[in-house]
Amino acid sequence: EPEVTQTPSHQVTQMGQEVILRCVPISNHLYFYWYRQILGQKVEFLVSFYNNEISEKSEIFDDQFSVERPDGSNFTLKIRSTKLEDSAMYFCASTGSGGGITEAFFGQGTRLTVV
Amino acid sequence: GQQVMQIPQYQHVQEGEDFTTYCNSSTTLSNIQWYKQRPGGHPVFLIQLVKSGEVKKQKRLTFQFGEAKKNSSLHITATQTTDVGTYFCAGRAGNNRKLIWGLGTSLAVNP
């Protein structure tokens, strides 16, 4: 069964450092997303990406965040200068072409710990 | 902004008892999805509801979408320990692809 893969599974970083979280979406999917989930809390939308550009972003997705699809398979989330409150589980997700059921397939997540 | 409220936040049941979680949106939704997240895991898609008043069943799980397309429920009949996890509803408004998530209901089942 196709799956979304994320690396690393856990990242510890010092406050102020840059981090890049990596995702490989399902190969024939067209829409890509980043969500975050602070421990024990709800899933929060960060950004959606389609046709090589951001299609929507939330108020959480400020200038410290950026996304990129550097090649045909990877989808990355960069946080330029991490803050303590960026500590969370970050999930990448992808959906297909959009007609009918638009089930989101989630990766296993990257747990980001900012110290 | 658009919000999706979900209750209860936690539910503790004995194995064999029924369980229901409810979602209410501040705006009319084009569709609503339900996901299950096992402890330490990632959200896994369960179902999507699109039509007003729609009811769908998956074995012991029954999903409903309200007539006004602003609320939804998930009912589990005769819970089992394998049902443990957090159940999230997530809604879309209009042609918006962004999913707005409820807070989730964490279900614990005593064997």
Side-chain angles (χ1 to χ4, degrees):
Chain A
E1 184 178 308
E3 59 178 18
V4 175
T5 56
Q6 288 185 244
T7 54
S9 56
H10 193 184
Q11 173 101 42
V12 181
T13 189
Q14 295 236 323
M15 193 168 55
Q17 294 295 305
E18 173 183 288
V19 294
I20 298 176
L21 310 182
R22 301 180 194 279
C23 170
V24 179
I26 294 171
S27 61
N28 61 347
H29 281 185
L30 300 177
Y31 295 87
F32 315 116
Y33 310 84
W34 283 101
Y35 291 88
R36 80 172 184 192
Q37 186 178 32
I38 294 168
L39 187 62
Q41 298 187 25
K42 70 175 179 179
V43 178
E44 297 176 295
F45 169 80
L46 292 178
V47 66
S48 62
F49 193 85
Y50 171 71
N51 203 24
N52 285 320
E53 60 183 22
I54 290 173
S55 49
E56 288 175 83
K57 60 183 181 179
S58 71
E59 55 276 7
I60 302 168
F61 195 88
D62 61 22
D63 292 344
Q64 292 299 315
F65 292 88
S66 62
V67 289
E68 209 174 39
R69 189 153 161 83
D71 53 43
S73 58
N74 291 286
F75 179 50
T76 62
L77 174 69
K78 183 194 289 187
I79 309 175
R80 285 191 186 80
S81 178
T82 50
K83 303 187 280 282
L84 293 176
E85 54 265 36
D86 293 327
S87 295
M89 182 72 93
Y90 287 80
F91 290 108
C92 173
S94 67
T95 62
S97 58
I101 292 178
T102 53
E103 170 185 353
F105 289 81
F106 281 77
Q108 300 286 342
T110 294
R111 180 168 297 285
L112 177 65
T113 303
V114 182
V115 296
Chain B
Q2 183 190 355
Q3 288 187 324
V4 174
M5 311 298 291
Q6 191 174 352
I7 57 168
Q9 195 172 353
Y10 303 99
Q11 184 88 55
H12 212 135
V13 299
Q14 286 294 127
E15 191 171 22
E17 289 181 342
D18 292 356
F19 159 77
T20 306
T21 172
Y22 301 90
C23 270
N24 284 289
S25 169
S26 57
T27 56
T28 302
L29 300 171
S30 54
N31 62 61
I32 193 160
Q33 298 181 351
W34 285 89
Y35 290 80
K36 177 182 178 182
Q37 185 177 27
R38 288 207 159 94
H42 59 282
V44 175
F45 176 84
L46 293 176
I47 209 155
Q48 175 171 290
L49 304 171
V50 178
K51 298 176 186 172
S52 169
E54 189 169 14
V55 178
K56 285 188 177 179
K57 291 190 183 223
Q58 288 179 352
K59 297 182 182 177
R60 294 178 294 104
L61 277 60
T62 302
F63 303 84
Q64 290 190 315
F65 201 8
E67 294 290 338
K69 299 181 75 171
K70 293 177 80 170
N71 55 61
S72 182
S73 65
L74 157 59
H75 179 84
I76 302 178
T77 304
T79 53
Q80 298 174 359
T81 54
T82 52
D83 296 325
V84 164
T86 301
Y87 293 85
F88 292 96
C89 61
R92 282 198 175 93
N95 291 323
N96 200 320
R97 293 199 70 84
K98 179 173 68 176
L99 279 172
I100 304 298
W101 293 67
L103 276 173
T105 297
S106 292
L107 173 64
V109 180
N110 280 345

